[in-house]
Amino acid sequence: MPELPEIETLIRQLGNVLAGERVRAVRIFDEKLDPLPDAIDRGVRAVRRAGKGVEIDLGGPAIHIHLRMSGRLHWRSPGDIIPPHARFGIVFEAGEVLCIDPRRFATLTWHWAPAALRKQTANLLAGLDIPDIRARARGRRLPVKAFLLDQQAMPGMGNIYACEILFAAAVSPWRRAGEVTTIEWERIAAAAARILREAVYCRGTSISDWRDLFGRPGEYQRRLRVYGREGKTCYRCPARIERRKLGGRGTYYCPGCQG
DNA sequence: CCCTATGTTCCCAA
DNA sequence: CTTGGGAACATAGG
């Protein structure tokens, strides 16, 4: 479920709560996941986002968490109950970072040198590099929405925000990526910068069950302009919003004004 | 029973 | 080898 704004919300909250903390233990509740014995007693140097991944930097080596579809992170203070579907917990002096994940897709991995492995990837919050994007899209025949969801080109981009960005930019999700014009890429880049920043400010989108580290829902669901509005009148033209499958994902768009 | 779900990866065909 | 599409992963809810 979580996309870039939701992960950004989590890493900011984790950065506050884990400052100066040391890993006391890693508890594995789901046998699918491997234990992380090398994490014990290491101090937290930083918490950062890598696309949709959470990276807890332990001063060189790092713990990497990917929440996939249904994963959540929950801050458990000492003495609090453990909620259902807990898959692992990272125990610190001040409390425990619990991963709650009904569908069990979330991953927990150990990396000795993540900085070396980490590719030089764009930070979408800093803005899109239009020449770079155009070069990557050149000749590609896949729909532009599928291109936006390519994590190599757009680390952190997810289904909800891709729909919102293409609606704001008035570009059809089915336009072939290689045929998107420079003017349209400029509109997409402007929409992406604005929407992603607003969504971070709102602490994400709580459509069903997204909650932040402290169990609070986000606010961006109140600002969605197209996602989830199937059958309702477009905010920009008289047409009705439609929903179709694109690459297996529900895709909301306005047939009237998304040329 | 059907379909859906904010993600990624693997397999297969062109 | 590349590209793009679909299924699989596992579970809950409508």
Side-chain angles (χ1 to χ4, degrees), chain A residues 40 45 58 176 194 204 206 210:
Chain A
I40 310 305
R45 177 192 282 172
L58 299 177
R176 295 187 192 279
R194 176 177 62 77
S206 292
W210 153 255

Side-chain angles (χ1 to χ4, degrees), chain A residues 87-110:
Chain A
R87 301 307 178 193
F88 66 84
I90 306 172
V91 183
F92 300 89
E93 183 82 25
E96 179 175 12
V97 176
L98 276 177
C99 175
I100 311 300
D101 183 22
R103 290 171 71 179
R104 302 169 64 211
F105 289 162
T107 57
L108 170 71
T109 48
W110 176 258

Side-chain angles (χ1 to χ4, degrees), chain A residues 1-2 67-72 100-106 209:
Chain A
M1 307 153 42
L67 296 171
R68 301 289 181 109
M69 285 291 270
S70 59
R72 287 167 45 189
I100 311 300
D101 183 22
R103 290 171 71 179
R104 302 169 64 211
F105 289 162
D209 54 4

Side-chain angles (χ1 to χ4, degrees), chain A residues 94-134:
Chain A
E96 179 175 12
V97 176
L98 276 177
C99 175
I100 311 300
D101 183 22
R103 290 171 71 179
R104 302 169 64 211
F105 289 162
T107 57
L108 170 71
T109 48
W110 176 258
H111 300 271
W112 284 105
L117 292 173
R118 201 184 311 130
K119 292 167 199 151
Q120 196 61 23
T121 52
N123 179 4
L124 268 46
L125 286 177
L128 269 59
D129 180 345
I130 292 177
D132 174 63
I133 297 300
R134 290 213 69 195

